[in-house]
Amino acid sequence: SAAAADGVDEEAMEKERRAAAERRDAVGEEMESVLRVLGGVLDEIANAQMVMCESLEVSLSQTLETFAGIEYQETNRLRSEADVLTESAEEALAKYLHGRHPERTNTEEQISRVVQAVATSQVGSALKGWTRSGSALADEALAL
C-alpha cells in the first residue's frame, strides 16, 4: 500500500509539473517571472499578517487576563464587604427588635397566654362582635 501511495503522489506531482509548464508556455517567460515575484510578495504579506495577528492576540489576551484578574479580586472584596455589612445590619435589626423594645418581643410567657386563650376560645368569642368600640374587649382577651 505504501508503494501505491508513492505512485499516486508521483502521478500528482507530475500532473502539477505539466500544468505549471503549460501555464508558463501560455503566459510567456516574462509574465512567469513577474508572477513568481508577485507570489513571493504575497507570501511575505501573508507571513507578516500572521505575525501581526499573533502579536495582537498575545498582547490583548494578556491585558484581558490581567483585567479579569483585577476585576475578580475587586468583586471578591466587594462581596466580602457586603457580607460583613449585611451581617452587621441583621445584628442591628435584631438589637432594635429585641433589645430596646422589650414590649415588642414575644416571650414564651406571652405565647403560652395566647395559646391558652385560643384553646379556651375566649379570644374567638370575644372577637366575634369586635368593632372599633369593642377593641378593648379583644385587648382584654389577649391579656389573659
Side-chain angles (χ1 to χ4, degrees):
S1 92
D6 287 341
V8 171
D9 287 342
E10 287 179 24
E11 278 183 37
M13 290 176 69
E14 183 60 35
K15 280 185 178 180
E16 196 173 314
R17 281 188 214 127
R18 276 190 253 140
E22 288 175 10
R23 282 191 299 257
R24 190 176 327 121
D25 291 341
V27 295
E29 287 186 28
E30 288 181 23
M31 280 301 283
E32 177 194 1
S33 64
V34 170
L35 291 175
R36 191 174 305 224
V37 170
L38 179 62
V41 169
L42 291 175
D43 285 341
E44 285 183 40
I45 290 172
N47 289 336
Q49 286 175 337
M50 291 298 293
V51 169
M52 181 183 71
C53 288
E54 289 171 358
S55 173
L56 284 173
E57 183 180 337
V58 167
S59 64
L60 291 177
S61 67
Q62 287 177 350
T63 304
L64 183 62
E65 288 172 0
T66 303
F67 172 77
I70 290 170
E71 290 302 311
Y72 182 73
Q73 290 174 352
E74 180 68 11
T75 303
N76 282 340
R77 186 188 67 75
L78 289 173
R79 183 177 55 188
S80 297
E81 186 177 321
D83 289 343
V84 168
L85 291 174
T86 300
E87 190 174 316
S88 174
E90 287 174 352
E91 288 175 6
L93 179 63
K95 285 180 184 177
Y96 174 77
L97 293 175
H98 299 292
R100 290 192 227 159
H101 303 285
E103 68 276 2
R104 291 186 184 176
T105 62
N106 288 328
T107 62
E108 285 191 30
E109 182 181 310
Q110 289 171 330
I111 292 171
S112 67
R113 273 193 258 155
V114 169
V115 169
Q116 199 174 32
V118 169
T120 59
S121 72
Q122 290 175 359
V123 172
S125 63
L127 291 177
K128 280 184 183 176
W130 185 71
T131 61
R132 288 260 179 214
S133 61
S135 64
L137 182 62
D139 289 340
E140 197 175 291
L142 284 174
L144 294 176

